[in-house]
Amino acid sequence: MKIIKIFKETISDGPGFRYSIYFSGCGHYCEGCHNPETWKGDIGEVLDERYMEKIISQIKGNSLLDGVTLSGGDPFFIPEELFGFLRRLKEETHKNIWAYTGYTFEELIKKDITKKCLEYIDVLVDGRFEKNLANPELFYRGSSNQRLVDVKASLTEGRVCTKDYD
């Protein structure tokens, strides 16, 4: 996995004060994407052990952070590597984790590895960006087809449970 950008403190990628990580690689190719340079997955810094420790140290060292947001590209581009990162991130920081993806929750629970990833995510902003459904007044999403999925509740109840932010 490669990381193209990190915002150590932001208020635009979820509620509260967040640490946002933008991953390289995406196979959705959404028209109107705000990060098309990430699609190939060939840019950015490799997420090796040293870089992972640096990220976790920065998060743990900032007591003002409310959570961590994963975006891109698509964090699920290489789900096997995402799983290891998510597990360490959650276990070592205990932060609320949001992830943006072009996949739907229903697609992700069909594969063992992506379903395992979901166990470490609190809110999933799911679905491809649809340019014709774009709405700049939506909170934390770009188009009205995208949902803010409460992952824990959804996995427990066996149906998609969404969160609302107005």
Side-chain angles (χ1 to χ4, degrees), residues 14-114:
F17 211 41
R18 306 192 71 77
Y19 187 100
S20 291
I21 305 168
Y22 285 73
F23 290 90
S24 185
C26 183
H28 303 294
Y29 312 113
C30 301
E31 182 182 352
C33 173
H34 70 281
N35 288 325
E37 69 279 2
T38 68
W39 291 352
K40 289 184 181 180
D42 61 351
I43 60 172
E45 187 174 340
V46 173
L47 181 60
D48 58 14
E49 180 64 26
R50 188 166 20 117
Y51 196 17
M52 191 178 308
E53 287 177 9
K54 178 182 174 184
I55 289 168
I56 289 170
S57 176
Q58 288 174 345
I59 294 167
K60 288 171 70 172
N62 188 343
S63 62
L64 298 175
L65 291 174
D66 294 299
V68 178
T69 299
L70 310 182
S71 192
D74 193 321
F76 285 89
F77 188 67
I78 306 174
E80 296 79 11
E81 291 183 33
L82 175 63
F83 173 70
F85 178 67
L86 278 168
R87 185 178 62 221
R88 283 204 50 201
L89 186 64
K90 190 62 141 180
E91 290 174 358
E92 294 183 36
T93 71
H94 307 287
K95 293 292 183 188
N96 170 280
I97 298 176
W98 278 43
Y100 283 78
T101 181
Y103 296 102
T104 63
F105 178 83
E106 292 87 351
E107 290 171 320
L108 294 174
I109 61 170
K110 288 180 182 177
K111 293 183 180 175
D112 287 340
I113 187 63
T114 51

